[in-house]
Amino acid sequence: MALQTLPTAPAIPLSSPAEQISATPQPVPATLWLCCYLPHLPLEVFKLEDDRPAAVWEDSGGRSLISAVTPAAAAFGIHPGLPTNAALALCADLRLYRRDQPMEHEALETLAETGLGFTPWISLDYPAAVLLEIRASLSLFGGLDALMQRLRTELEDQGHQVLLAAAPMPFPAWLMASSGLERTVENPAALRSGLGDLAIVRLPIERDTVKRLAKAGLHTLRDLWRLPRDGLARRYGLALLRQLDRAAGREKDLPRLFRTPPVFEAHRELAAETESLAYLRPVCAALLEDLAAFLRRHDAATDRLELDLSHFRRPATRLELKLRYASRDPERISMLLNERLERTPLPAAVTALSLRCDSLQPYRAHETDLFAADTPGALDWEALLEQLQQRLGHDALRFLGASADHRPENAWNWNASPIGIAIGKERRPLWLLPKPRPCDPTRYRLLPERERIESGWWDGAPIRRDYRVAVSPEGVRAWMYRELDGNGGWYLHGLFA
């Protein structure tokens, strides 16, 4: 739905988006702030999809006043500041919505998360605007114009109309964008000429001050900058002088950094109830694409996520997916999630899917060998193990681990992950017999390698053994020992691979 820009202050002519203000060569400032101002945010949060007259109202001094209108409503003569009863008198079919500032703030946070794909320094300190510090991102996106065009496209795809302006300081950038002046001023020395045409009423100062200035014939910022500073401060107060300094970039203004909670939540309603995985997989894939975009914006990866499958009048079926290593590859996560879906019985048809992820880890790019041979179709062994775990269950696969114990029977354990396996310096076989077997040492050829193991007093199972490496008549290398206590017999304990 096309919306109309509604003047709430003296009209300011729009300039071309590509307009640049240049001045004499100056050192490049350290920061460049891009302001994305949303003039129709109060209406856009209601997602109006038809062209019927509609307006947003809010309480102001005990009166219900119109604050924003659609073009269809404006055609009836309805404008901001009009009482709602007067607006209904002009258009009986007018749809009225009470302004919802929490929804507006949520929409700004969503747009700020989009902006995280362009820069990590974002602020929501200014009304109806998202400010991005983009100096360090210009080379990555191919320059200022390319970055602005890409950002504008992404915001418009989300149903928002934006006005963009850039300046070395956040306040001048917001001042230009909120005044409908889409302009770029990269040089602080050019701010006064770039903002000179702005109306004084755009400054956040008291209305009485604006009226007094208007009576004195002062209407634009250029009019004020021509006057002596001490005279302005004496007649109209220091607040006016401070706002002028902010507009001219003389006053340092460091806005608060926007921080979003590192939690991803997305919900998709299905057009019809279904138990068919053929219909559920595309929805899961779309949710995972959104998750991947969220992780890229945070430069993170995840190793755990939850998928809830909602049913009508039944508790939701929850699938918890744990990854062997953190990733943000939607194809890999989708493959593992499909494995779980295929093996999860559904008690009823699914009506909606919800994906939640609150386990974020720093992203590490996968390292590949530049000279490694290309083997198409070959599965990475970790990916294969991960797929087997999802298919058979986490308890179906176990790995050998090492324990801090000298006794061979206690020197290993079952581990859920192959990571962390430590192999001792001693030369021991990887295959031990379930139980040492008595043997005749004369049938074996004993080799020089030997090891005495004496330990176990702390748990009541001490041993004293002399281990030897031997070769059997069949040529198999064996690990055998002689008991130093008890009967002093020989036992075969393991075989070398």
Side-chain angles (χ1 to χ4, degrees):
M1 181 187 65
L3 298 177
Q4 178 183 358
T5 302
L6 302 173
T8 57
I12 297 176
L14 295 176
S15 61
S16 64
E19 184 176 357
Q20 301 278 335
I21 299 299
S22 61
T24 56
Q26 296 287 334
V28 177
T31 59
L32 181 63
W33 288 90
L34 176 63
C35 177
C36 307
Y37 183 73
L38 297 101
H40 307 298
L41 183 61
L43 278 167
E44 289 168 342
V45 296
F46 293 103
K47 301 185 183 304
L48 307 176
E49 297 180 351
D50 53 33
D51 294 331
R52 288 188 296 175
V56 174
W57 65 275
E58 60 182 336
D59 289 329
S60 178
R63 304 174 61 194
S64 302
L65 301 179
I66 300 294
S67 61
V69 299
T70 62
F76 286 89
I78 301 171
H79 56 81
L82 193 69
T84 53
N85 54 357
L88 290 172
L90 294 173
C91 178
D93 295 332
L94 179 68
R95 290 181 299 169
L96 290 172
Y97 299 89
R98 185 166 188 166
R99 185 174 182 183
D100 194 331
Q101 293 185 339
M103 284 181 60
E104 295 176 21
H105 187 72
E106 289 180 8
L108 287 174
E109 288 185 338
T110 301
L111 297 179
E113 291 182 359
T114 301
L116 289 174
F118 295 84
T119 174
W121 196 352
I122 293 179
S123 175
L124 297 179
D125 280 0
Y126 290 84
V130 180
L131 281 109
L132 305 87
E133 202 293 301
I134 57 171
R135 174 66 71 189
S137 306
L138 294 182
S139 59
L140 177 63
F141 289 90
L144 179 59
D145 291 341
L147 186 149
M148 293 174 67
Q149 182 58 41
R150 184 167 170 178
L151 179 61
R152 184 192 299 275
T153 301
E154 291 198 16
L155 298 186
E156 289 180 349
D157 288 345
Q158 298 181 37
H160 296 284
Q161 294 184 22
V162 295
L163 297 172
L164 302 179
M169 303 295 175
F171 181 68
W174 175 83
L175 199 57
M176 289 190 291
S178 63
S179 303
L181 196 63
E182 290 194 309
R183 181 174 291 180
T184 297
V185 182
E186 295 194 50
N187 195 331
L191 281 174
R192 287 183 55 158
S193 59
L195 277 67
D197 294 334
L198 289 184
I200 296 174
V201 70
R202 293 294 181 184
L203 292 177
I205 56 177
E206 295 181 355
R207 294 300 170 193
D208 290 342
T209 304
V210 176
K211 292 179 180 178
R212 291 171 55 199
L213 292 169
K215 289 180 180 178
L218 303 172
H219 302 286
T220 65
L221 300 189
R222 182 175 290 106
D223 296 336
L224 298 179
W225 277 322
R226 288 171 176 167
L227 298 176
R229 291 174 56 85
D230 55 347
L232 277 177
R234 187 169 57 254
R235 287 194 171 192
Y236 302 102
L238 291 175
L240 174 62
L241 206 58
R242 179 174 179 271
Q243 297 301 332
L244 287 175
D245 289 343
R246 292 181 70 195
R250 292 177 176 173
E251 184 170 321
K252 297 293 182 183
D253 191 4
L254 189 63
R256 292 173 297 177
L257 181 66
F258 167 74
R259 296 183 185 275
T260 179
V263 177
F264 173 84
E265 292 181 329
H267 180 81
R268 295 289 179 91
E269 294 282 346
L270 301 182
E273 296 183 1
T274 182
E275 296 183 18
S276 172
L277 295 182
Y279 294 100
L280 296 179
R281 289 195 187 99
V283 182
C284 290
L287 290 171
L288 293 176
E289 288 290 345
D290 293 343
L291 173 62
F294 171 83
L295 294 173
R296 284 194 295 270
R297 289 196 297 268
H298 291 77
D299 195 22
T302 184
D303 62 350
R304 185 177 68 251
L305 53 91
E306 294 175 349
L307 177 70
D308 283 349
L309 299 97
S310 302
H311 311 288
F312 182 67
R313 292 183 178 176
R314 282 175 177 266
T317 301
R318 171 163 295 183
L319 300 182
E320 185 177 0
L321 186 66
K322 295 181 179 179
L323 309 180
R324 289 179 45 80
Y325 58 93
S327 172
R328 65 184 185 193
D329 181 3
E331 293 184 1
R332 174 190 167 215
I333 301 176
S334 178
M335 178 189 68
L336 301 176
L337 193 58
N338 287 334
E339 293 285 352
R340 294 291 306 277
L341 278 173
E342 291 175 356
R343 282 153 184 80
T344 302
L346 298 176
V350 179
T351 60
L353 287 87
S354 301
L355 185 64
R356 189 176 193 277
C357 173
D358 58 2
S359 177
L360 269 64
Q361 300 181 11
Y363 174 71
R364 295 181 178 178
H366 180 61
E367 297 180 356
T368 57
D369 187 351
L370 178 62
F371 303 102
D374 187 13
T375 56
L379 284 176
D380 179 77
W381 70 273
E382 287 197 358
L384 176 60
L385 289 180
E386 192 170 45
Q387 189 174 1
L388 287 174
Q389 278 189 327
Q390 298 301 330
R391 182 173 297 180
L392 305 176
H394 276 273
D395 297 332
L397 289 182
R398 293 186 297 174
F399 306 91
L400 285 176
S403 299
D405 199 312
H406 290 288
R407 291 168 294 183
E409 295 89 344
N410 300 332
W412 67 279
N413 57 25
W414 290 118
N415 201 336
S417 170
I419 301 175
I421 291 180
I423 299 178
K425 296 179 180 179
E426 298 82 4
R427 191 173 182 183
R428 294 183 179 183
L430 291 177
W431 182 21
L432 294 181
L433 300 179
K435 186 177 180 181
R437 191 169 61 196
C439 64
D440 182 3
T442 60
R443 296 185 63 248
Y444 292 82
R445 180 166 59 90
L446 299 179
L447 299 180
E449 294 94 335
R450 62 177 62 197
E451 178 184 5
R452 172 166 293 185
I453 299 177
E454 290 182 277
S455 61
W457 54 266
W458 52 85
D459 60 2
I463 62 172
R464 291 185 70 241
R465 299 170 180 171
D466 270 345
Y467 276 87
R468 298 292 298 270
V469 177
V471 180
S472 70
E474 296 80 13
V476 178
R477 291 169 62 85
W479 202 44
M480 52 196 304
Y481 69 85
R482 182 171 65 90
E483 285 280 8
L484 299 180
D485 294 330
N487 58 7
W490 285 82
Y491 295 86
L492 178 64
H493 202 175
L495 298 173
F496 290 92

